[in-house]
Amino acid sequence: MQDSSYVQYHNDVYRVAGTRVALDSIVRRFWEGDTPESIVQSFPVLTLEQVYGAIAYYLRHQDSIDSYLKQAESAEAAIIDQLRHQNQALHERLVRLKSERIEAHES
């Protein structure tokens, strides 16, 4: 897939051209129904043109970008699982702290 003036692929990551903002950040917000204007508010380094350009790039290459995102999610899940097994005690502590925070918030 070819880079565009709005999206670049470098070091196995799609980014909004000229920024460090990952394309998946824009795509996920787009999936959630956020408008390009609200996405710009969340990423002030981006212009409205860049957000529209990134969304257009995604829509033009949707099958391959969706595949890329699924592979990234699988890789992330594998890393999390590996880290969970490497440091079980830390994982259990984090789960307990999260549970305690939820209970405290509900009280």
Side-chain angles (χ1 to χ4, degrees):
M1 195 173 337
Q2 203 172 24
D3 286 353
S4 78
S5 56
Y6 296 106
V7 175
Q8 296 174 327
Y9 184 74
H10 183 68
N11 291 336
D12 299 328
V13 178
Y14 286 96
R15 296 194 187 280
V16 177
T19 73
R20 296 191 46 82
V21 178
L23 178 62
D24 63 302
S25 299
I26 305 301
V27 170
R28 290 179 202 290
R29 300 287 303 270
F30 177 69
W31 284 345
E32 293 170 1
D34 289 358
T35 64
E37 291 80 6
S38 68
I39 295 171
V40 167
Q41 289 177 349
S42 297
F43 299 94
V45 68
L46 300 178
T47 65
L48 191 56
E49 178 183 356
Q50 287 173 306
V51 172
Y52 272 106
I55 292 169
Y57 182 89
Y58 165 68
L59 293 173
R60 189 176 315 116
H61 304 285
Q62 190 168 356
D63 290 340
S64 56
I65 297 296
D66 285 349
S67 176
Y68 159 80
L69 293 174
K70 285 179 186 175
Q71 289 174 346
E73 286 175 9
S74 294
E76 180 180 331
I79 291 169
I80 289 170
D81 193 50
Q82 178 185 6
L83 292 174
R84 182 177 299 137
H85 290 297
Q86 285 178 349
N87 196 336
Q88 188 67 30
L90 176 61
H91 172 70
E92 290 170 1
R93 182 173 179 223
L94 291 173
V95 169
R96 187 179 70 251
L97 289 172
K98 182 178 179 181
S99 175
E100 289 171 0
R101 279 189 134 168
I102 290 171
E103 289 173 7
H105 187 267
E106 291 174 351
S107 301

